[in-house]
Amino acid sequence: MTAMADDSPDMRLADAYQHCQQVTRSGESDRYLATLLAPPAAQPALFALYAFAHEVGRIRDVVKQPLAGEIRLQWWRDVVMGEGRGDVSGNPVAAALLDVIARYRLPQKVFLDLLDARTFDLYDDPMPSVASLEGYCGETSSVLLRLASLIIADGGDSGGGDAPGHGGVAFGVAGLLRSLPWSARLGQVFVPADLLARHGAGREDIVQGRDTPAVRAALADMRALAQSHYGAFRKTLAASPRAVRAAFLPVAVTPLYLHRMDRPDWRPFTEVVEPPQWRRQWRIWRASRGAWGR
C-alpha cells in the first residue's frame, strides 16, 4: 500500500483537527476537560467547534479598532456560508469547522447568529439589560451546547433547547464575571445597565474598577442570575436524552466559580478566579456520572 502523502487533503484535515485540539486545550480549558469525557468519535468535531468559539471570542483582544474586528467577523461569516475568500484550508480552524458543519449537517444560521452577537464585543456600549445579557449568552454560549448535542447525537435525538439554553446562560454569565479584570480594562461592560442603575452605579464604576458596595450589589445580582439558570438547567437536564448529556459537561464547573465569587474576599477587578484543575476535573467527572451538584 502506498503511504499517504504528507500534503494530502486528508492529512491536512487531520492536522487541522489536531490544531483545534491544541487551541481548545490552551484557550478553553473547561471545554477541553469536558470533551475528554465525550464519546471519542465526537471529540475532534467538538474541539473544532470550541476552537472556532475561542477564535471569534478573542477578536476584541487582538484588534485595535472596531472596524478591524468587523472585518474579521465578516470573514468568518463568509467561511460559514461557503463564500470564504482565498484558500480557507490555510486556516486550520476554518477548515475543520467547515468539515464539521458539512459532516453533521449543522445549521448555518446559528453560527451567523453567534457572529452577530459577537459584534457587541467590539464596542464600548454597556450591556443594556438583564434580558440583553441572557440573549447574548444564549447566542454565544447556549448555542455551543446545542451544537455539541447535535454532534454527539450524530443524527439521533438531541433533545430540546431548555437544558442548553439555561446551561449556556449560567456558564456564560459566570465566565463574564470571571473576565472582569480583562474586560473592564478594555472598556467593556457586560454588567447590565439596569442592574447598575438599580444599585446607584454606572458604566464608569466598572471601567474604572471601583470596588464599591453598589458595584458589588450589581455583581451579586449577576451571580444570582447565573445560579438561577444553573438550577433551571439541572431541572431540565432530565428531559435530555442520556446519550447527549456529555455535551453539557462544561456547565458542571459553574458552581465552582460562583461559590468563590460569593465570598466577601473576592476581588472582582484584580482576581482571576481559577479553581485548581483537579477540582474542575472532579466536578466534570462527577457530572459525567450524573452527579451535577449545586
Side-chain angles (χ1 to χ4, degrees), residues 10 36-37 44 69 116 123-124 159 180 187 203 223 245 251:
D10 287 344
L36 297 180
L37 294 177
D116 288 344
Y123 299 91
D124 294 341
L180 266 174
R203 177 185 180 278
R223 295 197 303 275
R245 293 180 194 173
V251 184

Side-chain angles (χ1 to χ4, degrees), residues 197-280:
R198 179 188 305 170
H199 298 287
R203 177 185 180 278
E204 286 305 308
D205 292 305
I206 300 299
V207 298
Q208 296 298 326
R210 296 169 184 156
D211 189 358
T212 65
V215 167
R216 282 190 172 261
L219 297 180
D221 283 351
M222 279 188 71
R223 295 197 303 275
L225 177 69
Q227 190 63 59
S228 174
H229 277 283
Y230 186 77
F233 162 74
R234 292 180 68 237
K235 291 179 181 178
T236 56
L237 190 61
S240 298
R242 188 174 298 275
V244 303
R245 293 180 194 173
F248 310 141
L249 289 178
V251 184
V253 300
T254 302
L256 286 179
Y257 299 127
L258 296 178
H259 292 163
R260 170 61 190 128
M261 291 184 285
D262 275 335
R263 291 174 50 177
D265 62 342
W266 174 47
R267 303 180 305 280
F269 294 104
T270 59
E271 178 181 351
V272 179
V273 177
E274 192 72 35
Q277 180 174 314
W278 71 266
R279 290 191 65 194
R280 291 181 287 130

Side-chain angles (χ1 to χ4, degrees), residues 6-90:
D6 288 347
D7 62 347
S8 69
D10 287 344
M11 183 62 71
R12 289 199 300 269
L13 191 57
D15 290 342
Y17 276 111
Q18 182 64 34
H19 175 80
C20 290
Q21 181 173 348
Q22 294 304 316
V23 169
T24 305
R25 183 175 186 176
S26 61
E28 301 286 336
S29 61
D30 291 333
R31 289 177 172 134
Y32 175 79
L33 294 173
T35 301
L36 297 180
L37 294 177
Q43 288 181 15
L46 294 176
F47 287 135
L49 177 67
Y50 298 144
F52 159 73
H54 178 72
E55 290 297 303
V56 299
R58 64 189 289 268
I59 288 177
R60 171 67 183 253
D61 299 334
V62 298
V63 300
K64 295 182 179 180
Q65 298 294 332
L67 179 59
E70 294 272 14
I71 292 171
R72 290 187 181 224
L73 287 175
Q74 185 58 49
W75 186 86
W76 279 108
R77 291 187 187 97
D78 292 343
V79 168
V80 169
M81 296 300 294
E83 302 170 357
R85 299 176 181 176
D87 185 7
V88 171
S89 65

Side-chain angles (χ1 to χ4, degrees), residues 101-121:
I101 291 174
R103 181 177 303 182
Y104 293 94
R105 300 176 301 281
L106 301 180
Q108 294 173 327
K109 185 178 185 304
V110 296
F111 289 95
L112 298 177
D113 289 344
L114 184 155
L115 292 166
D116 288 344
R118 284 295 183 184
T119 303
F120 177 86
D121 300 356

Side-chain angles (χ1 to χ4, degrees), residues 106-179:
L106 301 180
Q108 294 173 327
K109 185 178 185 304
V110 296
F111 289 95
L112 298 177
D113 289 344
L114 184 155
L115 292 166
D116 288 344
R118 284 295 183 184
T119 303
F120 177 86
D121 300 356
L122 305 179
Y123 299 91
D124 294 341
D125 300 329
M127 186 68 67
S129 66
V130 170
S132 299
L133 175 63
E134 290 173 313
Y136 173 87
C137 290
E139 292 181 340
T140 59
S141 180
S142 299
V143 68
L144 297 178
L145 300 178
R146 181 63 174 152
L147 290 168
S149 68
L150 292 172
I151 289 170
I152 291 176
D154 193 18
D157 181 13
S158 63
D162 287 344
H166 289 297
V169 174
F171 185 80
V173 172
L176 292 174
L177 286 166
R178 292 178 60 226
S179 70

